[in-house]
Every structure is written in structure tokens, then in C-alpha cells.
């Protein structure tokens, strides 16, 4: 195998309680991290920021609560900072954001129901902005990928968020696929629903089966028709659409729905006026946990009209190349990490 992440299933892996075996000597080789420059710097910075943790997830919980109060205060400064951003020369903003480079933002949707709860990530979607190629790549990572989580051990990918917050998810993906992830934005179920409602809902194409699923979960807001077509959905309806694993292909098709929702959100944002955009940002700030600085948000927002006109590319990891196996009573996905690392770098970076 080319990389130290290659693994294979023991005989009887399909539903038979088989275990994974590493390639001999793989445990002696260092973990693979092919990122360079900004990616590694950001990773070191995140490690320094999280080095005070008494428990892998404790720091994330404390920081999330503190950031909620901090963001409410930041809302009061929006007008002043917006004026500052508008007065800043465009060349300075381009320098600040590294125009021509690739910016990777990881979107994380968790199943946390309370403010102080750390839980697994239901959604892990990487938004890659390539200014040089004028391209946005949306990449979904299936939550049942069997991987080694730094500082924890081998488990499903979505466990990384529960044991170490968004930073641990980033560390895992960077090591698995040689990516350089710059920032993250995380939201729980309740806040995601509220965010969609702030946008006025979304228009989505639904099948008859998807309609039936939504109506079975949101009885107070049922859709009047059961025919396939395009419908305007509320935040709660969009949330259940994203969570749907019962219709057509389990988690694989669910990640397709999630990318369709993100695409619809981008299209809806493109129709907003300048004033509506900033009203939405002001209202959304308290709902989102992110390590983006406020000036970074302003800079991205100022360029959103041009970014939203970039070509959209959508992909899923894994797509069709994986093996369903059982490990310690868990149904997981065994994949060739080297194969998908090459595909990702070719699609995102053009390498």
C-alpha cells in the first residue's frame, strides 16, 4: 500500500463480526499529514488553543458557552466594523484573505440538544473556495467511515466531534486525506432550523418518498401534496430532510440531500439585498460556533456576490468505493484513504 492509512477487512467482514487488520508495520509509521504551510500553522494554533483542556471535550463545551455570550456583544459592533470594512481598500482585503488560494471551511452539524452537550456530528461537509479556478467544491464525509481519531483510537468518523469538538474532526480529516482546513462553523439541530427560518425557508425538489418522510416527522407543518416536485420548506422541514436516512440508500443519499440544501442556501443568499444580507448575518452570529474572526466574516460576505457565481462541484467520500464491515459490534465503512486523498486534492486544488 502507498500510504500508512490503508487497511483491509479480515475474512467474514460483511455482517459477520469481522475485524480490521492494518498492513504489517503500519503502526510503526507516522500518521500521514501531507498539508503544508497555512494548514499546518492553523493546526498548531488550534493545538495551542486547546492545550488547557482537562478533558478532550471539556474545553469545547466551556468555549461554546463563552462564545455565545461574546457573540451577542459583537452584534452591537456590526455597524462600526462594517463601516471599517467598507472603507478598507479592496487590495488590502484581497491580501488578507489570500486571493488566488484555496480556502477550506468545514461545516459541522451536530445532534446536540442542549447548550452544554457535546455530541457526534451528523453532518461533515467541506466547502472549498478556489479563487484561482473560480470554483466551489462541496464535499460530504460519511459519518460511518472507520478511522483513527488522534488521541482516541479507531472509531467512526463522527465520534471525533464528541471526544474533541470541531478541532478533533479537523485533525482527523487533515491526517486522513492530506487536506488543509482553515476554519470551521458548527451548528446544532435547533439552531440550524432557526437559521433556515431566518432566511425565510428554502425551495427544494422532493420525491414522493421524501415528502412522506417529512410529513411523518413534522405533523404540525405537513405539506399538502404528495406528488414529486418543488416545495417551499420551513426550517424544521429542512432539518428533517437533511436527517432522512430512511429514503433511498441510507447515509449515502442523506449526504446528497445535505449538499442540495447547502446549494439551495447559497442560491437563496444570492437573491438577498445588501441590507438583508447583513441583517441575516447579525441574527445568525449567536447561532453558530466558529473560529472565524469577525473581520474574516465581513471579508467573505463582501465578496459573496462574486463567490456565489463560481462553478459548483459536488462530491462524497466515499462515493461508490467502500466495504461494509463490522468491528466490535459496529457497522462501519472501510475505505482506501490514499485513493480519496488523491481525488480530493485533484478536485479541490487541481493537483
Amino acid at each position: 500500500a502507498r500510504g500508512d492509512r490503508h487497511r483491509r477487512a479480515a475474512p467474514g467482514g460483511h455482517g459477520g463480526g469481522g475485524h480490521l487488520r492494518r498492513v504489517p508495520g503500519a503502526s510503526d509509521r507516522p500518521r500521514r499529514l501531507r498539508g503544508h504551510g497555512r494548514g499546518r500553522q492553523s493546526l498548531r494554533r488550534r493545538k495551542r488553543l486547546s492545550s488547557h483542556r482537562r478533558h478532550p471535550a471539556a474545553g469545547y463545551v466551556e468555549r461554546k458557552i463563552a462564545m455565545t455570550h461574546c457573540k451577542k456583544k459583537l452584534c452591537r459592533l456590526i455597524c462600526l466594523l462594517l463601516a471599517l470594512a467598507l472603507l478598507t481598500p479592496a487590495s488590502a482585503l484581497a491580501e488578507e484573505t489570500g486571493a488566488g488560494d484555496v480556502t477550506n471551511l468545514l461545516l459541522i452539524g451536530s445532534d446536540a440538544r442542549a447548550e452544554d452537550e457535546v455530541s457526534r456530528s451528523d453532518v461533515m461537509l467541506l466547502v472549498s473556495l478556489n479563487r484561482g479556478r473560480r470554483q466551489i467544491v462541496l464535499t460530504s464525509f460519511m459519518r460511518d467511515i472507520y478511522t483513527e481519531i488522534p488521541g482516541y483510537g479507531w472509531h467512526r468518523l463522527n465520534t471525533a466531534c464528541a471526544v474533541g469538538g470541531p478541532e478533533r474532526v479537523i485533525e482527523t480529516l487533515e491526517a486522513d486525506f492530506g487536506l488543509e482546513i482553515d476554519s470551521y462553523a458548527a451548528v446544532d439541530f435547533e439552531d440550524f432550523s432557526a437559521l433556515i427560518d431566518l432566511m425565510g425557508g428554502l425551495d427544494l425538489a422532493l420525491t414522493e418518498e421524501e415528502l412522506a418522510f417529512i410529513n411523518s416527522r413534522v405533523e404540525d407543518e405537513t405539506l399538502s401534496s404528495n406528488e414529486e416536485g418543488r416545495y417551499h420548506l420551513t426550517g424544521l422541514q429542512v432539518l428533517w430532510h437533511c436527517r432522512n436516512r430512511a429514503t433511498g440508500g441510507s447515509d449515502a443519499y442523506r449526504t446528497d440531500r445535505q449538499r442540495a440544501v447547502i446549494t439551495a442556501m447559497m442560491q437563496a443568499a444570492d437573491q438577498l439585498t445588501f441590507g438583508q444580507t447583513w441583517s441575516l448575518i447579525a441574527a445568525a452570529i449567536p447561532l453558530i460556533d466558529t473560529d472565524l474572526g469577525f473581520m474574516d466574516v465581513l471579508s467573505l460576505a463582501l465578496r459573496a456576490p462574486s463567490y456565489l457565481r463560481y462553478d459548483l462541484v459536488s462530491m462524497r467520500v466515499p462515493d461508490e468505493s467502500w466495504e461494509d464491515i463490522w468491528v466490535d459490534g459496529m457497522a462501519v465503512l472501510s475505505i482506501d484513504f490514499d485513493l480519496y486523498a488523491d481525488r480530493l486534492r485533484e478536485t479541490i486544488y487541481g493537483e
Side-chain angles (χ1 to χ4, degrees), residues 35-108:
H36 295 285
R38 182 175 57 192
R40 285 196 171 183
Q41 291 172 4
S42 63
L43 180 56
R44 289 195 295 269
R45 175 174 58 82
R46 287 192 295 272
K47 286 182 177 179
R48 288 199 300 271
L49 290 174
S50 59
S51 61
H52 67 282
R53 295 178 181 173
R54 297 180 299 276
H55 182 274
Y60 169 61
V61 173
E62 295 167 359
R63 190 177 67 258
K64 183 177 180 182
I65 296 173
M67 286 182 68
T68 299
H69 299 296
C70 182
K71 287 172 182 176
K72 292 178 180 177
K73 296 179 181 179
L74 282 175
C75 289
R76 302 169 187 171
L77 301 177
I78 285 180
C79 293
L80 176 61
L81 292 175
L82 175 57
L84 176 62
L86 291 174
L87 291 173
T88 303
S91 58
L93 284 171
E95 240 175 48
E96 200 173 272
T97 56
D101 294 336
V102 174
T103 297
N104 287 317
L105 172 66
L106 182 64
L107 305 182
I108 298 175

Side-chain angles (χ1 to χ4, degrees), residues 297-328:
V297 175
L298 289 175
S299 178
L300 288 171
L302 287 171
R303 282 163 175 72
S306 61
Y307 293 157
L308 292 172
R309 288 165 175 77
Y310 282 9
D311 294 332
L312 268 179
V313 178
S314 181
M315 65 183 298
R316 183 183 70 225
V317 176
D319 46 19
E320 74 285 347
S321 304
W322 77 79
E323 184 180 3
D324 295 301
I325 61 173
W326 286 83
V327 179
D328 298 330

Side-chain angles (χ1 to χ4, degrees), residues 82-342:
L82 175 57
L84 176 62
L86 291 174
L87 291 173
T88 303
S91 58
L93 284 171
E95 240 175 48
E96 200 173 272
T97 56
D101 294 336
V102 174
T103 297
N104 287 317
L105 172 66
L106 182 64
L107 305 182
I108 298 175
S110 72
D111 56 0
R113 270 79 172 182
E115 188 179 62
D116 60 347
E117 181 181 348
V118 175
S119 54
R120 292 178 174 86
S121 47
D122 246 27
V123 180
M124 290 164 286
L125 196 152
L126 187 67
V127 180
S128 303
L129 180 67
N130 190 318
R131 299 175 186 84
R133 304 177 71 182
R134 297 185 62 82
Q135 175 180 276
I136 295 177
V137 181
L138 303 179
T139 307
S140 297
F141 296 93
M142 291 176 65
R143 66 180 196 169
D144 291 337
I145 294 173
Y146 190 62
T147 185
E148 184 177 10
I149 300 171
Y152 182 76
W154 291 81
H155 216 283
R156 292 188 178 110
L157 176 60
N158 69 336
T159 303
C161 190
V163 300
E167 292 93 342
R168 194 64 57 88
V169 181
I170 290 176
E171 290 179 38
T172 305
L173 292 176
E174 286 184 332
D176 283 346
F177 303 105
L179 297 169
E180 300 93 38
I181 300 177
D182 302 283
S183 301
Y184 71 84
V187 65
D188 60 29
F189 286 166
E190 182 178 350
D191 289 340
F192 174 77
S193 177
L195 182 61
I196 298 299
D197 284 333
L198 285 173
M199 300 183 68
L202 288 179
D203 294 328
L204 292 170
L206 303 175
T207 66
E208 292 182 13
E209 293 80 9
E210 290 169 339
L211 277 167
F213 177 84
I214 293 173
N215 283 337
S216 69
R217 295 300 190 275
V218 191
E219 296 181 356
D220 295 337
E221 302 174 3
T222 55
L223 298 164
S224 58
S225 173
N226 286 322
E227 296 182 1
E228 180 176 336
R230 195 165 185 83
Y231 293 85
H232 188 77
L233 305 185
T234 65
L236 189 57
Q237 290 169 334
V238 172
L239 171 62
W240 278 107
H241 184 59
C242 288
R243 296 188 63 191
N244 182 1
R245 299 184 71 185
T247 305
S250 188
D251 195 42
Y253 281 85
R254 182 174 67 164
T255 61
D256 294 343
R257 295 186 190 98
Q258 292 165 357
R259 292 194 303 280
V261 166
I262 295 299
T263 301
M265 292 176 69
M266 295 171 62
Q267 293 170 345
D270 192 30
Q271 304 302 315
L272 298 177
T273 65
F274 186 81
Q276 289 172 330
T277 299
W278 288 108
S279 296
L280 176 62
I281 291 175
I285 283 177
L287 304 178
I288 301 172
D289 171 37
T290 180
D291 61 351
L292 280 170
F294 195 75
M295 290 304 295
D296 294 327
V297 175
L298 289 175
S299 178
L300 288 171
L302 287 171
R303 282 163 175 72
S306 61
Y307 293 157
L308 292 172
R309 288 165 175 77
Y310 282 9
D311 294 332
L312 268 179
V313 178
S314 181
M315 65 183 298
R316 183 183 70 225
V317 176
D319 46 19
E320 74 285 347
S321 304
W322 77 79
E323 184 180 3
D324 295 301
I325 61 173
W326 286 83
V327 179
D328 298 330
M330 297 185 299
V332 295
L333 308 179
S334 176
I335 72 171
D336 185 336
F337 286 90
D338 290 320
L339 171 67
Y340 286 106
D342 291 341

